[in-house]
Amino acid sequence: MLLLTCPYCGVDAEETELHAGGEAHLKRFGPGASDEDFTAYLFHRENPKGVHFERWRHANGCGKWFHAARCTNTLEVFGTYKAQTTEPPKDLLDTIRAKRPGFRWRDLA
Amino acid sequence: MSTRLPTQGRLINRDRDVAFTFNGTRLTGHDGDTLASALLANGQTLMGRSFKYHRPRGVVASGSEEPNALVNLGEGDTLEPNQRATTTEIFHGLKATSQNHWPSLDYDIGAVNTLLARFLPAGFYYKMFIHPRPFWKYVYEPFIRKSAGLGKAPAAEARDPDRYEHFYAFTDVLVIGGGVAGLQAALSAAQSGAKVLLLEQTPHWGGRTPVDGGTIDGKDAETWIAETVAALDAMPNVTLRSRTVGAGVYDHGYVLGYERLTDHAPEDRGPRHRLWRIRAAQVITATGAIERPLSFAGNDIPGVMLAAAMRDYVVNYAINPGDRTVIVTNNDDAYRTAIALHEAGLKVPAILDARPNGGGALMEEAKALGLTVKTGAAIAKVKGHKAVHSVLVTQQDSDGSETTEIFCDAVAMSGGWSPVVHLWSHCGGKLTWDATQAAFRPDHDKAPTSHDGQPFVIPAGSADGEMNLSAILQNAAKAGQTAATRTGADKSSDAAPTAEAPDEAPLAPVWMMPANAPLKLRAKAWLDYQNDVKVSDVQLAAQEGFESVEHTKRYTTLGMATDQGKLSNINGLATLANALGEDIPQVGTTTFRPPYTPISMGAIAGEARGDIFQPIRKTPMHDWHDANGAHWEPVGHWRRPYAFPRKGESVKDAVNREVLATRNSLGLLDASTLGKIIVKGPDAGRFLDMLYTNMMSTLKPGNCRYGLMCTENGFLADDGVVARIDEDTFLCHTTTGGADRIHAHMEEWLQTEWWDWKVWTVNATEQFAQVAVVGPNARNLLEKLGGMDVSKDALGFMEWKDGDLAGVPARVYRISFSGELSYEIAVPANLGRAFWDKLLEAGKEWDITPYGTEALHIMRAEKGFIMIGDETDGTVIPQDLGLDWAISKKKDDYIGKRAQARSHMTDPDRWKLVGLETLDGSVLKDGAYAIAGGTNANGQTNTEGRVTSTYYSPTLQKGIAMGLVLNGPDRMGEVITFTDGGDDTKTARIVSPVFYDPDGEKQNV
């Protein structure tokens, strides 16, 4: 059972306190968007065996959404950060790059 | 026949007798006995029957790995099947019965299967139960159901009277296993300054070292163990728990422990089992090793036991397993059993050592005692049926055709030791093959890793593959120190104690005995005792093309019984590897999954049973409903009255009465469960414009508007009436089941997409009691209560107002879900019941009638109002339901707008909402499909619609329905055919979904 630190309330939250919300940093496409863009936004998801950026909500806690950078294979958590951002913080990316040479995720490398 | 020895028995108290029954026979054991040892003391070597062939079986092991001695424990409400006699401590009044036989353990008709064994090969079920197809339902399935399972399932009406609980624990270092390795690891970790929790599955500390012998720090093992436990007990940073198994290791240091508190003393108060939910920074698995059986013909006959288990019974429980025991081994350890038997005054006619050159120091010791050792020897066959009669001895390197017979009544076998790597493996720890010991051991380079990417499990002692006492203690001390250091503890621990135990010569892997045994012998050499898998079965599977150990396991059922292959796994995969001509590590192991041993369902449930399994949400009027005959319906976690049947009245009649009373005079509905979410802030209007399909920002304070919410995928998710409270504040009503979901939906968008918008949301559902006062006399009632002006001019349709009624502060919404004159009145929750009572009292003169959810549904259906969950199912868009009027054309965007522009969503051939009226006035079946001509590519009948809501309308005195029909709105008046269950059909006319008062004259008064 995963343990993630909520960046809002600081609690090391058990998975049962959390609600998983799928991939983080999706860019919303609305009316006027092409079918391709809209389809990709709505349905296409990364499925890495490796580092992934995910959304979690501290549902049975402070109620806040946050993001986690987590390896889907080893379950290593590189960090959690608040959801009010369109990309992972630079220091977190540096940590991941240092630990996982050759790391790639969507446009990030 | 087994008996009790006059000496020995370190774990039993001969001064205290314990009476129990087995299959109804009264027997006596001693305090400290396990059920297995007590049965052996009473000469009961036959303890069960195997699953497939109903072979007579006796106990083969002495611990939790036991596959044979499974019993039903208790009776009635406390009956538990498949309990291992080896781990059951006896107590006064224990009742045990044996399993899987008819009519009795001694005479079992099912044993005829053993004669048919030739016809019940590996994969028998798959091969047999395929043809002919019709046999499945009437012959095969009943047969399989009858023969499935070993123990007796408790009766359906039985209720477990015991209590269970969950317990949360946090520790730096968790040590699983309280043998000498676990004790030493815990001591080293604790001395280093770490907080330590130590779990031991049995009631006793020290594992099997007191039985095996050796000295630690110059003391005998038992003394060292007692001193170490006392030292640990005195340390404030150490918690010790016996009778607690480490059941599973999970992600990020989460571990489940299973503590059996009163199984051995049922009269004690308190919970029976406790589930420990542990978070540990570091986990040490000091789980020991399990001895492997040897594969020779007749290795399952009662009286054939693992050598170390037999030693346990002699030393720990003073059991005489047989007067003449033949030892058969491929390693040195079994010599300890020979010596123990000899010291107990029992005869050991021969030690058969499969190794050409025999063993080391222990062999010399045995020889010095005058015991006969035959090297390069093997058992060709054990003779006997319900008990051992003799063994046929042959050369290991032979086909077993030349034999000599040795008469004996017991056999002790040892095929070497397998480290218990289960808990190491649960969370991803990898294994490496140790050819010297012929065993898998933990690969330290591939340890399970935790949230920080660092290893969090350390194996210790024999679980790490160390088999010498001195090496075990060294290894465990290092494990304890390493674990503590990893958690930040900075003290150093004492050096590991020195130990002395005889050096052992290497074993020789023996996977079949004798090596070239013919099929006749291989077909009687058991790998998995409980599921009756033999060497020949695995070989047949390999011959039939099974190469993967995971597939072979499922095909042959090897290791799939309740013991999960603790004895059979390595022997089975070695047999498979040999049959495939591959190396054992290439074949690999099956996956080790938690729990290590079965844990009770009660412990998993913990306190969550009965009323607190899932707490019920209650409205302020709940008790009134309960006292007035409510027929309850679960709605989410709420209970809502479905109807209020009177004495002697059917539920159906009550529903019809409630509808008519409301339509004709006055009805009352508890609507408190409706979601009430307050959305507030300068950007609240802008936000609701994105959430709802229609325009909410233009709503005037004091007014209400019905709105629809969709998912980003375009599908209708919820509906409800929005009231604008003031410029900055809206109150959004949601469906009963949708309140939490919609609130979460709002928060998700606010927090993750529009986080710069100035909006706050609050779910105020439970802050208000809400009552719908419905019917032609609704206004009369409110006016009689007195207070605020509720006249048509003061409070028009789709308006709301604050005020008070009968002295109760109230917010009154003039909205209608029934088509009648209707007020929904919200009052503070704590005044809800009082207000409800006042309404009932004042409404008597109009025969006020509380109604339930079914009357609500019927009245809304008569008006053609949709219901989320009936007309919608996650594939329906608002346009399907003719709700285009509630979709803004002016807005650039709302959640779901882009999705609804997709070609499939704008397809004119989508099924659309219509009313349906059967030609004979009867009621259509819910979910019935409309049949179109012909069949589709799969040969299925084509359909052109389906029923979404269907009721008997007491108002119209006929069946009414709504449904989604292909081009429905363009086919008014057309008659189509619906399925009616089975081959029957019903015809219905397509009509408007508004069956009642289409012009809204009744609600607009």
Side-chain angles (χ1 to χ4, degrees):
Chain A
M1 186 159 52
L2 299 179
L3 204 58
L4 298 175
T5 306
C6 173
Y8 289 91
C9 61
V11 162
D12 289 334
E14 295 234 329
E15 206 172 326
T16 50
E17 283 179 56
L18 303 169
H19 175 84
E23 186 177 326
H25 303 306
L26 297 176
K27 179 176 161 32
R28 181 170 187 260
F29 284 87
S34 68
D35 278 351
E36 289 71 26
D37 284 344
F38 184 69
T39 303
Y41 153 61
L42 206 55
F43 298 115
H44 295 176
R45 297 292 181 268
E46 292 297 292
N47 185 21
K49 182 177 181 179
V51 182
H52 196 28
F53 295 94
E54 309 168 311
R55 305 190 320 144
W56 291 86
R57 185 182 183 216
H58 196 186
N60 295 315
C62 68
K64 295 291 187 188
W65 281 95
F66 63 90
H67 293 165
R70 184 179 70 99
C71 176
T72 58
N73 185 30
T74 66
L75 310 185
E76 179 172 356
V77 179
F78 297 88
T80 56
Y81 51 100
K82 296 179 179 181
Q84 289 77 45
T85 177
T86 53
E87 57 191 28
K90 186 178 175 305
D91 58 338
L92 178 61
L93 285 172
D94 288 344
T95 305
I96 297 168
R97 287 177 189 125
K99 279 190 158 182
R100 298 288 173 95
F103 151 79
R104 287 196 67 81
W105 188 83
R106 288 208 183 244
D107 296 336
L108 298 169
Chain B
M1 191 174 109
S2 54
T3 55
R4 186 82 76 181
L5 292 165
T7 59
Q8 308 262 13
R10 55 182 282 273
L11 298 182
I12 56 166
N13 179 358
R14 289 175 193 263
D15 297 335
R16 292 191 57 190
D17 286 350
V18 177
F20 67 100
T21 66
F22 181 67
N23 289 339
T25 306
R26 265 183 71 89
L27 300 170
T28 306
H30 290 310
D31 204 26
D33 259 328
T34 65
L35 179 57
S37 67
L39 287 171
L40 288 172
N42 284 279
Q44 184 70 48
T45 48
L46 178 59
M47 295 193 195
R49 293 272 175 172
S50 66
F51 178 61
K52 194 163 150 188
Y53 303 131
H54 295 243
R55 300 263 298 183
R57 289 286 163 75
V59 69
V60 66
S62 59
S64 62
E65 67 274 25
E66 173 61 33
N68 286 344
L70 305 183
V71 296
N72 298 306
L73 272 189
E75 59 189 358
D77 281 350
T78 62
L79 173 69
E80 268 191 311
N82 297 336
Q83 298 301 297
R84 293 175 301 280
T86 50
T87 59
T88 300
E89 298 170 64
I90 63 164
F91 53 85
H92 276 292
L94 177 148
K95 289 191 169 85
T97 54
S98 51
Q99 307 185 150
N100 206 42
H101 49 68
W102 186 86
S104 76
L105 178 59
D106 255 347
Y107 302 99
D108 179 9
I109 298 289
V112 69
N113 282 4
T114 200
L115 303 176
L116 303 174
R118 209 151 67 76
F119 307 108
L120 299 171
F124 166 73
Y125 300 95
Y126 303 108
K127 290 166 181 163
M128 177 65 202
F129 297 123
I130 288 272
H131 300 290
R133 300 295 292 186
F135 266 47
W136 175 252
K137 193 170 174 187
Y138 300 104
V139 181
Y140 299 146
E141 190 185 334
F143 168 78
I144 288 174
R145 285 198 184 282
K146 189 163 175 289
S147 50
L150 278 167
K152 202 166 95 184
E157 63 275 11
R159 291 292 175 270
D160 188 343
D162 290 308
R163 285 199 298 117
Y164 303 85
E165 69 180 18
H166 286 187
F167 196 90
Y168 293 82
F170 300 85
T171 188
D172 295 332
V173 177
L174 169 69
V175 182
I176 301 173
V180 291
L183 291 171
Q184 180 58 48
L187 187 66
S188 296
Q191 286 171 340
S192 309
K195 184 180 171 188
V196 176
L197 172 61
L198 173 58
L199 307 181
E200 163 56 35
Q201 63 178 342
T202 72
H204 310 288
W205 298 102
R208 52 172 312 101
T209 305
V211 174
D212 291 351
T215 60
I216 305 175
D217 270 346
K219 303 159 195 162
D220 69 89
E222 195 132 21
T223 306
W224 183 86
I225 290 161
E227 287 176 7
T228 307
V229 171
L232 287 168
D233 209 18
M235 296 174 91
N237 54 334
V238 177
T239 305
L240 301 170
R241 272 292 192 283
S242 60
R243 294 192 177 97
T244 307
V245 67
V249 175
Y250 304 84
D251 309 337
H252 293 181
Y254 184 67
V255 179
L256 282 186
Y258 171 61
E259 182 173 15
R260 301 198 295 159
L261 291 142
T262 65
D263 277 352
H264 63 293
E267 71 282 3
D268 283 5
R269 295 167 65 85
R272 176 166 172 247
H273 297 154
R274 180 182 284 149
L275 191 72
W276 285 64
R277 304 177 66 167
I278 304 162
R279 278 284 175 187
Q282 290 287 310
V283 178
I284 294 175
T285 57
T287 44
I290 292 177
E291 194 169 28
R292 297 191 290 257
L294 285 165
S295 303
F296 50 81
N299 62 352
D300 70 325
I301 292 171
V304 181
M305 252 188 231
L306 290 169
M310 186 177 285
R311 193 155 80 233
D312 288 341
Y313 287 115
V314 172
V315 177
N316 288 335
Y317 306 104
I319 297 300
N320 166 8
D323 293 334
R324 292 170 57 85
T325 301
V326 168
I327 312 280
V328 58
T329 185
N330 67 345
N331 63 83
D332 277 16
D333 186 64
Y335 285 91
R336 290 193 171 94
T337 302
I339 295 163
L341 289 166
H342 179 80
E343 286 175 350
L346 301 171
K347 289 204 172 56
V348 177
I351 301 170
L352 310 176
D353 193 326
R355 295 170 292 184
N357 301 318
L362 285 161
M363 179 177 80
E364 297 309 327
E365 192 182 335
K367 280 182 174 172
L369 293 169
L371 299 179
T372 307
V373 177
K374 294 177 190 280
T375 57
I379 289 180
K381 187 181 180 181
V382 178
K383 291 176 79 173
H385 177 51
K386 287 180 200 164
V388 174
H389 172 265
S390 63
V391 294
L392 300 183
V393 180
T394 187
Q395 287 299 111
Q396 168 60 16
D397 188 19
S398 78
D399 64 359
S401 54
E402 286 178 32
T403 62
T404 55
E405 187 164 15
I406 300 178
F407 291 94
C408 58
D409 51 7
V411 175
M413 62 180 165
S414 179
W417 290 81
S418 299
V420 174
V421 294
H422 300 62
L423 289 127
W424 164 267
S425 304
H426 281 172
C427 204
K430 298 284 181 283
L431 304 173
T432 177
W433 178 251
D434 180 339
T436 317
Q437 300 192 63
F440 282 103
R441 59 197 289 179
D443 182 348
H444 285 243
D445 294 334
K446 292 170 184 165
T449 54
S450 192
H451 61 95
D452 52 4
Q454 298 302 308
F456 77 99
V457 182
I458 307 175
S462 54
D464 194 23
E466 297 294 349
M467 295 298 160
N468 173 278
L469 184 57
S470 189
I472 283 170
L473 290 165
Q474 297 280 351
N475 174 291
K478 188 170 162 229
Q481 175 75 62
T482 305
T485 306
R486 283 186 191 164
T487 68
D490 53 5
K491 292 187 221 158
S492 59
S493 54
D494 297 344
T498 53
E500 280 180 34
D503 285 334
E504 295 181 28
L507 63 67
V510 170
W511 307 118
M512 185 62 222
M513 185 172 255
N516 306 314
L519 178 62
K520 191 175 65 165
L521 295 182
R522 286 183 273 124
K524 292 287 178 198
W526 262 258
L527 292 168
D528 185 318
Y529 293 88
Q530 198 174 127
N531 267 357
D532 276 328
V533 182
K534 301 155 295 173
V535 170
S536 57
D537 292 320
V538 171
Q539 289 170 334
L540 178 63
Q543 197 183 319
E544 290 179 354
F546 285 85
E547 293 176 358
S548 150
V549 63
E550 296 280 12
H551 292 162
T552 304
K553 164 181 166 171
R554 284 151 183 84
Y555 187 58
T556 61
T557 72
L558 175 86
M560 289 176 69
T562 61
D563 60 322
Q564 290 285 289
K566 288 188 179 65
L567 297 189
S568 61
N569 248 332
I570 303 295
N571 286 350
L573 67 91
T575 303
L576 179 66
N578 286 341
L580 295 171
E582 286 182 12
D583 293 335
I584 289 169
Q586 271 176 276
V587 172
T589 65
T590 52
T591 310
F592 296 95
R593 292 194 178 86
Y596 174 62
T597 50
I599 66 179
S600 65
M601 297 304 290
I604 295 170
E607 300 88 344
R609 57 186 292 178
D611 289 344
I612 57 169
F613 173 71
Q614 191 178 60
I616 292 172
R617 297 174 78 180
K618 296 176 177 178
T619 74
M621 288 77 96
H622 186 96
D623 289 347
W624 187 93
H625 305 328
D626 207 28
N628 285 274
H631 182 79
W632 294 105
E633 176 186 35
V635 184
H637 289 185
W638 297 99
R639 289 291 176 276
R640 298 190 72 183
Y642 179 89
F644 294 93
R646 291 174 178 163
K647 253 201 176 73
E649 187 183 41
S650 72
V651 173
K652 202 174 142 195
D653 288 344
V655 168
N656 292 341
R657 171 178 54 74
E658 289 167 12
V659 170
L660 292 174
T662 305
R663 289 256 185 254
N664 295 329
S665 177
L666 186 57
L668 203 56
L669 175 79
D670 178 2
S672 306
T673 61
L674 279 186
K676 304 165 211 64
I677 299 170
I678 296 165
V679 179
K680 191 174 175 68
D683 291 318
R686 180 188 180 196
F687 177 57
L688 293 187
D689 280 348
M690 289 302 294
L691 280 180
Y692 286 93
T693 59
N694 44 356
M695 194 78 90
M696 287 299 171
S697 55
T698 57
L699 185 63
K700 299 269 180 298
N703 282 12
C704 301
R705 186 169 288 165
Y706 173 74
L708 304 171
M709 267 190 233
C710 295
T711 63
E712 187 72 317
N713 208 353
F715 299 118
L716 192 49
D718 207 72
D719 69 346
V721 170
V722 177
R724 189 164 201 165
I725 306 303
D726 58 38
E727 195 54 35
D728 270 4
T729 315
F730 294 81
L731 189 138
C732 303
H733 286 110
T734 73
T735 56
T736 293
D740 299 308
R741 177 169 49 87
I742 294 302
H743 183 234
H745 173 70
M746 289 177 171
E747 279 296 318
E748 181 177 348
W749 283 96
L750 276 177
Q751 290 182 33
T752 67
E753 189 66 28
W754 302 307
W755 59 77
D756 52 336
W757 293 13
K758 296 185 175 67
V759 184
W760 286 90
T761 69
V762 167
N763 185 351
T765 301
E766 296 190 359
Q767 268 57 51
F768 297 97
Q770 197 144 319
V771 184
V773 179
V774 183
N777 286 312
R779 187 178 287 135
N780 295 337
L781 172 61
L782 300 191
E783 284 172 347
K784 182 178 173 187
L785 289 178
M788 60 192 287
D789 185 355
V790 293
S791 65
K792 182 178 182 181
D793 292 337
L795 187 57
F797 186 55
M798 296 306 273
E799 290 176 2
W800 68 271
K801 220 162 83 170
D802 280 339
D804 63 72
L805 286 168
V808 176
R811 176 170 287 166
V812 182
Y813 307 89
R814 213 180 127 202
I815 53 182
S816 177
F817 197 42
S818 56
E820 297 299 327
L821 172 64
S822 164
Y823 297 87
E824 286 201 17
I825 303 160
V827 301
N830 61 327
L831 301 175
R833 173 63 195 275
F835 185 63
W836 176 264
D837 289 344
K838 282 175 200 262
L839 290 167
L840 283 172
E841 182 59 33
K844 273 183 182 161
E845 66 175 280
W846 298 287
D847 189 23
I848 189 166
T849 303
Y851 65 90
T853 52
E854 187 63 0
L856 161 87
H857 282 162
I858 291 174
M859 287 191 276
R860 68 90 195 171
E862 289 172 342
K863 279 292 290 180
F865 293 142
I866 64 138
M867 178 68 78
I868 298 294
D870 284 337
E871 275 63 44
T872 70
D873 64 357
T875 69
V876 171
I877 56 175
Q879 292 86 340
D880 297 339
L881 302 179
L883 294 169
D884 304 72
W885 59 269
I887 301 169
S888 169
K889 309 280 184 296
K890 292 185 208 147
K891 293 196 293 189
D892 291 337
D893 196 2
Y894 59 83
I895 294 169
K897 184 176 170 78
R898 173 63 183 86
Q900 289 163 2
R902 287 175 294 178
S903 56
H904 180 59
M905 299 299 187
T906 55
D907 183 350
D909 285 343
R910 285 183 73 85
W911 291 359
K912 299 216 164 165
L913 188 76
V914 291
L916 298 164
E917 218 172 45
T918 50
L919 298 188
D920 60 1
S922 62
V923 181
L924 284 168
K925 268 212 161 40
D926 198 9
Y929 275 88
I931 303 162
T935 56
N936 67 14
N938 296 324
Q940 298 159 319
T941 306
N942 284 326
T943 57
E944 57 171 341
R946 67 185 159 85
V947 173
T948 56
S949 288
T950 172
Y951 302 97
Y952 172 74
S953 162
T955 315
L956 305 170
Q957 297 187 335
K958 62 179 180 184
I960 61 166
M962 287 192 270
L964 295 163
V965 174
L966 176 66
N967 302 321
D970 303 328
R971 297 167 66 183
M972 286 295 156
E974 201 176 308
V975 173
I976 56 176
T977 305
F978 283 89
T979 56
D980 191 32
D983 295 330
D984 296 339
T985 58
K986 261 199 171 90
T987 45
R989 181 173 287 117
I990 299 175
V991 295
S992 158
V994 186
F995 292 92
Y996 177 73
D997 187 24
D999 298 328
E1001 286 166 1
K1002 293 206 70 177
Q1003 68 191 19
N1004 221 351
V1005 291

